[in-house]
Amino acid sequence: MARNKKPLPLLESVKIEAVAAEGKCLFHWDDLVVFVPFCVPGDICDVQIRRKKHSFAEGEVVRFIEYSKVRATPFCQHFGVCGGCKWQNLPYEEQLKFKQQQVFDQLTRIGKIELPEFRPIMGSVHTQAYRNKLDFGCANKRWLTSEQLKDETLVKDTPAIGFHITGAFDKILPIEKCWLMDDLHNQIRNGVRDYAVEHGLSFFDLRAQIGLLRDVIIRNSASAEWMVIFQFHYDETGGEQEALGLLQHIADKFPQITSLLYLDNQKCNDTIGDQEIFVFKGKDHIFELMEDLKFKVGPKSFYQTNTEQAYHLYSVAREFANLTGNELVYDLYTGTGTIANFVAKKAKKVIGIEYVPEAIEDAKINSEINGIENTLFYAGDMKDILTDEFIAEHGRPDVIITDPPRAGMHPDVVKTILNAAPKRIVYVSCNPATQARDLQLMDEQYRVLAVQPVDMFPHTPHVENVVLLVRRD
């Protein structure tokens, strides 16, 4: 017989104490730390406990009694439901303080290594419309707030284009206006929605794996080009003609789109790395600009989503590399070769390694476009490519620049880097926690000489960090 669970308590008039991980804040309740989203330090509020564990609990603000003096007015109508910009209620100057502290805490508590004084965090040039890429899911059932569920006049099972809700993988929060990208993307997305609803196009049902309209990716660039990628899901009865009708409508209505692409994705997930992508209009790529360089960006290419901050991030990496023109540089996780080509003019030779073959082809093209002749690029799993034999063949690097994914570097990669024994290592990271773990692995042979946090994503808890390591001997 199941035990009757005790109802979780409502805590009245609690004061939010500090910012915590993942954009949440915290306060203490008895011996527990309680994590709460969508509030700021100094808020006094009633909090309903939603989940209780041995060492922590999670809560939800049900009533604000007194707002903190350190608070900003959220500018987005979707704030508090959409989980994308959890810090819109926090002034940007305060966001930067907490991000700086986050990098310090993770490098000291996880890394447990000797560190120099950190440089002040580099804030983003723009705090709105700073992204060059957004990915919108499509679903046959929209997400409804608790207030909307009570509205008997509202049609519940309606399709939506927007963002996935955390913890509700099959439902989409419909987005009317997102502030993260140039407003044209809102017009395109809403234009897709209006045409699809008007013409009865089916939206994807993730549970049943049926429905035509599955996903829409929108990208733009500093060269004023726009790319839109449609993911369709054709079924036994077809869907191609309906898809082509939508594509033609979008092409006619938005002539600003220079690369209109589409694919038929029959998989259970929305990743497109292994999918064949077709061109409906224009080119299969757009160009991004940085200093006097042009970078080709295809539908499968990774490029930093904050273009202006990417320039500042790479400038720090180039500064830390301290190149004189005589160095052999290895650029690990090179993507489309942006860092490799960015530093090439100051190096003797740059070798880039990346997992995605299409990105490596773009990297080679980017070198050709910019007249850069001292780069080589290789595609494959980093731990399989970067071996002692590879280094013996291509030469021992003077400098290694590494920009791994959030999971950090594989231990075999760290081991090979240590065996290569470059004079300097420039470690660019989008996750200071895994960066701290890797720094600890290298601490015996390398010391940290400089630390530069860079904010790429205003209104979110995410932060990039660049670390310079030098060999101890």
Side-chain angles (χ1 to χ4, degrees):
M1 186 175 179
R3 293 183 300 172
N4 291 325
K5 291 185 177 180
K6 294 175 62 176
L8 295 172
L10 172 67
L11 307 181
E12 298 181 335
S13 300
V14 301
K15 185 172 184 177
I16 304 300
E17 300 170 12
V19 170
E22 299 178 356
K24 298 178 181 178
C25 288
L26 64 82
F27 67 93
H28 290 81
W29 168 46
D30 294 336
D31 295 329
L32 297 178
V33 175
V34 182
F35 298 100
V36 189
F38 303 119
C39 54
V40 300
D43 282 342
I44 299 175
C45 46
D46 294 342
V47 175
Q48 175 65 56
I49 301 298
R50 299 297 187 193
R51 184 171 174 236
K52 184 180 178 184
K53 295 293 184 179
H54 292 296
S55 58
F56 73 94
E58 294 178 353
E60 176 186 1
V61 175
V62 294
R63 183 171 71 102
F64 284 97
I65 299 170
E66 182 180 326
Y67 286 120
S68 170
K69 295 179 181 178
V70 183
R71 170 177 273 275
T73 301
F75 49 82
C76 179
Q77 69 193 74
H78 304 293
F79 177 79
V81 183
C82 171
C85 299
K86 296 178 180 178
W87 277 0
Q88 279 190 26
N89 54 2
L90 196 62
Y92 188 56
E93 296 74 16
E94 296 298 315
Q95 295 179 31
L96 293 178
K97 290 179 185 177
F98 288 118
K99 292 187 182 193
Q100 177 97 5
Q101 188 64 42
Q102 175 186 335
V103 174
F104 179 82
D105 289 345
Q106 290 176 330
L107 263 59
T108 52
R109 294 175 184 175
I110 299 174
K112 296 182 174 65
I113 58 175
E114 183 181 357
L115 295 166
E117 183 177 352
F118 289 18
R119 295 184 177 189
I121 188 170
M122 298 177 68
S124 180
V125 178
H126 293 102
T127 59
Q128 295 179 10
Y130 62 82
R131 288 186 66 100
N132 57 39
K133 178 185 177 184
L134 284 173
D135 190 340
F136 296 99
C138 306
N140 65 329
K141 293 182 180 179
R142 61 174 290 185
W143 171 262
L144 296 168
T145 65
S146 55
E147 290 77 15
Q148 290 171 330
L149 286 171
K150 298 173 185 175
D151 186 352
E152 297 181 356
T153 65
L154 188 67
V155 179
K156 302 298 193 291
D157 292 339
T158 57
I161 300 179
F163 295 130
H164 287 274
I165 290 288
T166 304
F169 72 97
D170 62 331
K171 290 185 175 63
I172 293 290
L173 174 69
I175 298 297
E176 186 65 33
K177 180 179 176 63
C178 176
W179 295 77
L180 291 177
M181 198 173 178
D182 183 285
D183 190 62
L184 179 62
H185 96 275
N186 288 311
Q187 299 171 44
I188 294 172
R189 183 196 60 252
N190 293 340
V192 172
R193 175 202 63 200
D194 294 344
Y195 177 93
V197 171
E198 181 182 346
H199 290 80
L201 272 61
S202 59
F203 286 61
F204 196 59
D205 184 329
L206 189 57
R207 291 182 182 272
Q209 291 288 300
I210 57 174
L212 177 64
L213 195 54
R214 179 167 185 161
D215 189 85
V216 182
I217 300 172
I218 304 177
R219 307 181 81 151
N220 69 354
S221 71
S223 60
E225 295 178 299
W226 285 80
M227 173 185 288
V228 179
I229 310 164
F230 281 90
Q231 284 199 51
F232 297 115
H233 181 274
Y234 303 150
D235 58 25
E236 295 81 0
T237 61
E240 294 92 335
Q241 293 306 311
E242 291 85 350
L244 292 174
L246 171 60
L247 288 165
Q248 188 62 60
H249 170 76
I250 295 301
D252 293 340
K253 187 169 183 177
F254 299 103
Q256 303 96 322
I257 299 174
T258 58
S259 176
L260 184 54
L261 313 175
Y262 69 101
L263 62 140
D264 172 27
N265 185 356
Q266 296 291 323
K267 300 187 305 175
C268 293
N269 63 64
D270 293 333
T271 58
I272 64 174
D274 58 350
Q275 298 289 290
E276 184 176 7
I277 299 178
F278 302 94
V279 177
F280 182 83
K281 172 200 168 184
K283 304 171 295 185
D284 65 351
H285 61 274
I286 56 178
F287 282 108
E288 194 56 86
L289 306 177
M290 186 175 292
E291 281 191 343
D292 57 345
L293 302 177
K294 291 176 64 177
F295 294 104
K296 179 186 175 185
V297 180
K300 301 179 183 180
S301 301
F302 170 79
Y303 194 88
Q304 291 284 355
T305 52
N306 186 333
T307 302
E308 290 179 294
Q309 281 301 92
Y311 170 68
H312 296 297
L313 182 75
Y314 295 160
S315 295
V316 172
R318 186 171 61 185
E319 175 200 343
F320 282 4
N322 192 27
L323 303 174
T324 64
N326 299 313
E327 293 86 0
L328 171 60
V329 179
Y330 281 12
D331 179 30
L332 311 186
Y333 311 92
T334 190
T336 56
T338 46
I339 292 181
N341 286 297
F342 189 69
V343 304
K345 290 183 179 180
K346 293 182 175 291
K348 181 179 180 180
K349 187 177 183 180
V350 182
I351 297 176
I353 306 173
E354 165 63 37
Y355 179 77
V356 181
E358 291 87 353
I360 284 296
E361 292 308 309
D362 284 345
K364 294 176 181 177
I365 292 172
N366 286 331
S367 288
E368 294 176 11
I369 291 170
N370 294 286
I372 297 172
E373 299 178 348
N374 61 334
T375 56
L376 287 175
F377 295 100
Y378 294 89
D381 192 302
M382 191 64 60
K383 63 180 176 57
D384 298 330
I385 295 288
L386 186 65
T387 62
D388 293 336
E389 292 75 17
F390 183 93
I391 292 172
E393 177 182 353
H394 295 281
R396 188 172 299 277
D398 300 294
V399 178
I400 286 181
I401 301 174
T402 180
D403 186 6
R406 291 191 62 80
M409 296 190 292
H410 190 281
D412 289 349
V413 176
V414 176
K415 183 179 179 181
T416 305
I417 290 175
L418 295 177
N419 289 340
K423 297 175 184 177
R424 292 182 295 283
I425 301 170
V426 180
Y427 192 151
V428 182
S429 173
C430 60
N431 186 352
T434 54
Q435 184 185 47
R437 177 204 65 200
D438 294 342
L439 294 179
Q440 187 180 56
L441 295 175
M442 296 186 283
D443 183 57
E444 186 175 345
Q445 297 182 37
Y446 287 84
R447 65 185 177 92
V448 176
L449 191 63
V451 179
Q452 176 65 74
V454 181
D455 183 26
M456 303 285 286
F457 307 105
H459 313 303
T460 79
H462 301 297
V463 60
E464 300 261 341
N465 191 47
V466 191
V467 169
L468 170 62
L469 301 103
V470 295
R471 206 166 57 203
R472 289 191 179 276
D473 58 359

